[in-house]
Amino acid sequence: MYFGQRRIRSAGRTSGSVEVTLPPQLQALQEIECRLMLRDGATPEIIIQPDLSVAYNLLQKLWSLVGAALADIDEIGDFDASEFTLALMPPSHWQRRPPLAYVDALVVLRQGASGGGTEALARLVACMSIVAAYRLGLSEPLALAFGDVVAYLVLGLATQSGLEYERGLAQQLYGSRDVVGKVSLDPGAWTRSAPGLRRVWEQFEGWHADPSSYTSARQRWYLALNLELGSAHAAVGSPTMR
């Protein structure tokens, strides 16, 4: 990933050190310790390697919170980084293994106490819930939808498009308007989601057992939505008699 050019400048006349400004995309690395390495040769490279152990520790803790939220379904086991694609930045698209971004974890650590970082947390929760759904036996399309639904129900944020039907039905089955809403790493807040998520899981499990019922239910919902939107549009455009 290319971030542009930066000029190395003096850190002060008496310090003897030099400094370089990193781009805004790396703002989450503020205060993170880094190793500096030189790869010498015809085209020398200076490598900055951040110590992301604190972010990795948060990912492990967050996995345990997702496990607490899904505890009424079954145990999801221990965190296994090999089931994810770990990267510094969240990708715009991904295939195969769900991504976990260290930057998202750092944002949650930095902003969570003040109620920020919810979008970053939602991305992490959705991807972890996808892997948990795989472990619990869902097929890929349903696992992807389930991950989005968990983030939506627990945090109030959607992470994928085109899942309005699944989120709407899940909200009805969940039966509670009490979502964590803000960033909370308190296990109790996640455990309270377990009974509602169990009911949602049973619906997804039924769809897994009968994929055609899932397909037809989605088609009927979107057909009804299109008819409703068409009727509303026609009503707006109709002349009014006086």
Side-chain angles (χ1 to χ4, degrees), residues 73 133 136-138 146 197-205:
I73 302 170
L136 294 172
L138 285 189
F146 185 75
L197 290 177
R198 168 68 189 186
R199 292 190 293 273
V200 173
W201 172 263
E202 289 172 350
Q203 177 64 68
F204 275 78
E205 203 170 35

Side-chain angles (χ1 to χ4, degrees), residues 128-165:
M128 288 187 174
S129 299
I130 290 170
V131 169
Y134 284 148
R135 289 188 181 187
L136 294 172
L138 285 189
S139 57
E140 181 175 343
L142 288 171
L144 296 177
F146 185 75
D148 175 83
V149 161
V150 171
Y152 177 71
L153 294 175
V154 176
L155 295 167
L157 283 179
T159 60
Q160 300 180 50
S161 60
L163 294 174
E164 292 79 9
Y165 166 67

Side-chain angles (χ1 to χ4, degrees), residues 22-68:
L22 296 179
Q25 295 94 319
L26 301 178
Q27 187 178 28
L29 295 178
Q30 185 176 347
E31 304 299 330
I32 293 292
E33 291 188 0
C34 297
R35 295 175 61 196
L36 292 178
M37 294 172 286
L38 171 65
R39 185 177 293 162
D40 211 346
T43 308
E45 295 179 350
I46 298 174
I47 302 170
I48 301 176
Q49 186 179 64
D51 179 3
L52 297 169
S53 57
V54 64
Y56 189 85
N57 290 339
L58 177 75
L59 295 178
Q60 291 180 307
K61 180 176 182 178
L62 186 55
W63 176 261
S64 69
L65 295 178
V66 171

Side-chain angles (χ1 to χ4, degrees), residues 46-129:
I46 298 174
I47 302 170
I48 301 176
Q49 186 179 64
D51 179 3
L52 297 169
S53 57
V54 64
Y56 189 85
N57 290 339
L58 177 75
L59 295 178
Q60 291 180 307
K61 180 176 182 178
L62 186 55
W63 176 261
S64 69
L65 295 178
V66 171
L70 303 179
D72 284 6
I73 302 170
D74 204 346
E75 294 184 0
I76 63 172
D78 296 330
F79 178 71
D80 184 354
S82 68
E83 295 180 81
F84 301 91
T85 297
L86 269 63
L88 181 62
M89 312 286 291
S92 56
H93 299 90
W94 61 273
Q95 295 179 343
R96 299 182 62 184
R97 294 177 299 176
L100 297 177
Y102 287 118
V103 162
D104 280 345
L106 293 173
V107 168
V108 171
L109 284 171
R110 290 252 170 74
Q111 301 180 15
S114 60
T118 310
E119 291 184 8
L121 181 58
R123 283 193 292 268
L124 296 174
V125 169
C127 288
M128 288 187 174
S129 299

